[in-house]
Amino acid sequence: DAGITQSPRYKITETGRQVTLMCHQTWSHSYMFWYRQDLGHGLRLIYYSAAADITDKGEVPDGYVVSRSKTENFPLTLESATRSQTSVYFCASSESGSGGHPKNIQYFGAGTRLSVL
Amino acid sequence: SQELEQSPQSLIVQEGKNLTINCTSSKTLYGLYWYKQKYGEGLIFLMMLQKGGEEKSHEKITAKLDEKKQQSSLHITASQPSHAGIYLCGAVTPGYALNFGKGTSLLVTP
């Protein structure tokens, strides 16, 4: 299917386990982003990527790892899950505009609801 | 860092009524985006405003960026149950990600 898809949609895991959330987009957008959404905090940026093999930290990167070996995929890994990482995770993508900057309309996936017990 | 404050935090309106949601920035806005999120779903792009004084409309939703570029408003005319959801404003950051407000939850009653 065309668009941006996240998997799984729901995940329950235990503290200390490694978890990987997947994000796949079919538009060949250069920019991809990971956000987490929590009550009282809204959406916060975890990591973003300007292109394959280029990633950078956002506002709340601790405890997370990302990779981008292919343009279309941007997985997010929780190396050792903690209860504070219980959240809804959203992936987004954006085209690159002139000068390599994104066109700024970000398209979001449906989200992954993660519970860490 | 830039802070975006949305008001009100939540809103309950009767179907057919008009409503306005505000988004105020602590710094000058160079691009302001409005998204809608249905409960339990992802964000859907509504509108992007980039110039002070710019106003855009889509169906019954109108968004405006004020001349001083530190506030935006979203106005819904003759609200319908399909308008229910969470409305979020987002501003572009130097790293090209979006910095979001905490959202305004809208419920439209029959």
Side-chain angles (χ1 to χ4, degrees), chain A residues 45-47 56-65 76-77 85:
Chain A
L45 181 68
I46 304 171
Y47 269 96
D56 210 345
K57 295 178 181 179
E59 182 184 354
V60 289
D62 293 342
Y64 302 96
V65 174
L76 176 75
T77 298
Q85 293 177 310

Side-chain angles (χ1 to χ4, degrees), chain A residues 83-94:
Chain A
R83 289 199 181 92
S84 64
Q85 293 177 310
T86 292
S87 186
V88 182
Y89 291 85
F90 288 102
C91 178
S93 71
S94 181

Side-chain angles (χ1 to χ4, degrees), chain A residues 38-42, chain B residues 102:
Chain A
D38 304 286
L39 277 173
H41 291 283
Chain B
K102 292 181 181 176

